[in-house]
Amino acid sequence: MTGEGADEQQDNSETIEKVLDSRLGKKGATGASTTVYAIEANGDPSGDFDSEKDEGEVQYLIKWKGWSYIHSTWESEESLQQQKVKGLKKLENFKKKEDEIKQWLGKVSPEDVEYFNCQQELASELNKQYQIVERVIAMKTSKSTLGQTDFPAHSRKPAPSNEPEYLCKWMGLPYSECSWEDEALIGKKFQSCIDSFHSRNNSKTIPTRECKALKQRPRFVALKKQPAYLGGENLELRDYQLEGLNWLAHSWCK
């Protein structure tokens, strides 16, 4: 066995999860400065690119394994090789597919072309949706963890000393794609999600983990008539609805 050092070095290199898009961009305008949040803060390094005047290169929008969509970056083949990334086969497959699509578009009807363009726009909108925090479900700092879960969450780096990180559920993606993100990063656009998380944790009406009913359920007692906390003067449960309510209560008690 001689692989310890090699394994450690291999683990530090990033892996391409998928290639989202391609473009002709300004040469060298790649890497961390092309993330969504970096562009919002400092502008697009390829924004003033003029293909007739400036030197350009083909660039690919890379979704990195273990990182959320907001950390996707534009990369050239050269920059990917310099970083010695893993998963370059996916880039080769993407290029091959693009070539096949170009050939196909040259043979099909205008209606097919329009349909294809609509599908591309839809895919682009979905990728933008994946960059929206839908809900914050946990928080941690280096000293403590609040609302810690067992989800297989992706985390890019250890939390700074006192800077909290939040476990984010992304819109349109399953909980398995939750990721830990710095407060400074998501707080700018999604402070309402952070506030809602703290509000839920501090709520007096939402059961905490110490709530007695979560450890020992009460005995089921069937409801013969509509309880006072439901409906109103003109709102009355039908018989089958009351039966459904009893079924819910029975299931909960069991």
Side-chain angles (χ1 to χ4, degrees), residues 1 4 194 234 248:
M1 298 294 290
E4 278 190 23
I194 295 174
N234 302 317
L248 283 169

Side-chain angles (χ1 to χ4, degrees), residues 131-146:
Q131 298 168 4
I132 299 171
V133 176
E134 182 180 357
R135 185 180 176 93
V136 170
I137 56 176
M139 167 188 161
K140 71 176 180 181
T141 62
S142 58
K143 296 179 181 177
S144 65
T145 303
L146 179 62

Side-chain angles (χ1 to χ4, degrees), residues 106-120:
K107 300 174 184 174
V108 296
S109 67
E111 289 80 11
D112 287 329
V113 173
E114 187 179 351
Y115 176 77
F116 173 78
N117 289 335
C118 287
Q119 293 295 101
Q120 292 295 97

Side-chain angles (χ1 to χ4, degrees), residues 4-253:
E4 278 190 23
D7 288 346
E8 193 175 321
Q9 187 178 359
Q10 192 177 11
D11 290 340
N12 290 335
S13 59
E14 298 294 346
T15 302
I16 296 172
E17 183 176 315
K18 65 174 82 169
V19 183
L20 304 173
D21 200 0
S22 65
R23 71 176 183 186
L24 183 65
K26 188 175 183 179
K27 189 171 176 64
T30 57
S33 63
T34 62
T35 60
V36 175
Y37 50 87
I39 289 173
E40 286 172 355
N42 309 313
D44 186 352
S46 194
D48 59 350
F49 172 66
D50 185 340
S51 58
E52 294 180 1
K53 297 177 184 176
D54 303 322
E55 186 180 0
E57 63 182 357
V58 178
Q59 297 168 349
Y60 303 93
L61 185 57
I62 305 295
K63 160 71 172 72
W64 299 102
K65 188 175 182 180
W67 297 64
S68 59
Y69 277 78
I70 60 170
H71 299 290
S72 298
T73 59
W74 287 98
E75 304 289 346
S76 64
E77 285 191 67
E78 186 183 356
S79 70
L80 291 170
Q81 286 164 0
Q82 285 173 352
Q83 295 173 69
K84 296 179 180 176
V85 303
K86 292 181 278 188
L88 284 170
K89 180 71 176 172
K90 290 184 178 175
L91 177 61
E92 294 303 317
N93 291 341
F94 177 84
K95 287 161 62 180
K96 185 179 177 183
K97 188 177 178 184
E98 273 204 325
D99 289 340
E100 289 172 357
I101 288 170
K102 280 178 187 173
Q103 291 177 12
W104 176 77
L105 288 173
K107 300 174 184 174
V108 296
S109 67
E111 289 80 11
D112 287 329
V113 173
E114 187 179 351
Y115 176 77
F116 173 78
N117 289 335
C118 287
Q119 293 295 101
Q120 292 295 97
E121 283 178 30
L122 186 63
S124 178
E125 288 302 311
L126 275 176
N127 288 336
K128 288 177 184 175
Q129 180 181 296
Y130 299 156
Q131 298 168 4
I132 299 171
V133 176
E134 182 180 357
R135 185 180 176 93
V136 170
I137 56 176
M139 167 188 161
K140 71 176 180 181
T141 62
S142 58
K143 296 179 181 177
S144 65
T145 303
L146 179 62
Q148 178 71 60
T149 67
D150 295 324
F151 293 118
H154 306 304
S155 184
R156 295 221 51 176
K157 59 182 186 299
S161 54
N162 291 315
E163 189 72 24
E165 283 188 271
Y166 293 97
L167 187 56
C168 299
K169 158 77 172 71
W170 300 97
M171 191 170 286
L173 290 173
Y175 275 86
S176 58
E177 295 294 318
C178 289
S179 62
W180 289 103
E181 305 292 344
D182 291 341
E183 180 182 42
L185 189 59
I186 63 163
K188 293 173 186 173
K189 291 173 71 176
F190 307 109
Q191 186 61 43
S192 61
C193 293
I194 295 174
D195 294 342
S196 296
F197 165 75
H198 287 300
S199 175
R200 289 194 303 274
N201 272 316
N202 297 328
S203 171
K204 302 298 182 190
T205 55
I206 298 175
T208 64
R209 291 185 179 189
E210 288 71 43
C211 179
K212 187 180 177 183
L214 294 182
K215 296 173 182 174
Q216 187 176 1
R217 298 292 162 99
R219 186 173 61 85
F220 171 68
V221 179
L223 297 164
K224 302 286 191 226
K225 60 179 183 177
Q226 179 169 313
Y229 55 80
L230 278 181
E233 290 180 11
N234 302 317
L235 296 170
E236 188 173 350
L237 291 176
R238 298 177 186 275
D239 290 345
Y240 71 88
Q241 291 175 316
L242 186 62
E243 187 182 338
L245 182 61
N246 273 311
W247 178 83
L248 283 169
H250 180 264
S251 299
W252 183 80
C253 289

